[in-house]
């Protein structure tokens, strides 16, 4: 396996321009899960801003 994008970073990858370079950093499963928890918490907070 060359690399895997953690779920918390999928938005960033989806917004990259063609031929834009990406770097990969090794993370543990625990770090990836924590990044996902933080991402979901931020997304929930932002969703609340638009539900008026």
């Amino acid at each position: 396996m060359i690399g895997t994008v953690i779920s918390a970073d999928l938005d960033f990858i989806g917004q990259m321009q063609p031929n834009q370079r990406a770097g990969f950093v090794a993370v543990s499963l625990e770090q990836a899960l924590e990044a996902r928890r933080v991402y979901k918490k931020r997304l929930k907070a932002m969703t609340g801003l638009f539900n008026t």
Side-chain angles (χ1 to χ4, degrees):
M1 181 181 328
I2 295 173
T4 301
V5 178
I6 63 174
S7 60
D9 289 339
L10 288 176
D11 290 349
F12 297 116
I13 294 295
Q15 294 178 34
M16 290 180 70
Q17 298 297 315
N19 298 318
Q20 186 175 353
R21 300 186 95 186
F24 288 82
V25 176
V27 297
S28 68
L29 177 59
E30 291 78 20
Q31 289 171 312
L33 292 172
E34 178 60 23
R36 183 171 62 184
R37 280 190 287 273
V38 170
Y39 171 80
K40 286 185 174 188
K41 185 177 179 180
R42 287 182 186 159
L43 188 61
K44 186 175 181 180
M46 288 179 14
T47 302
L49 296 174
F50 299 105
N51 291 335
T52 56

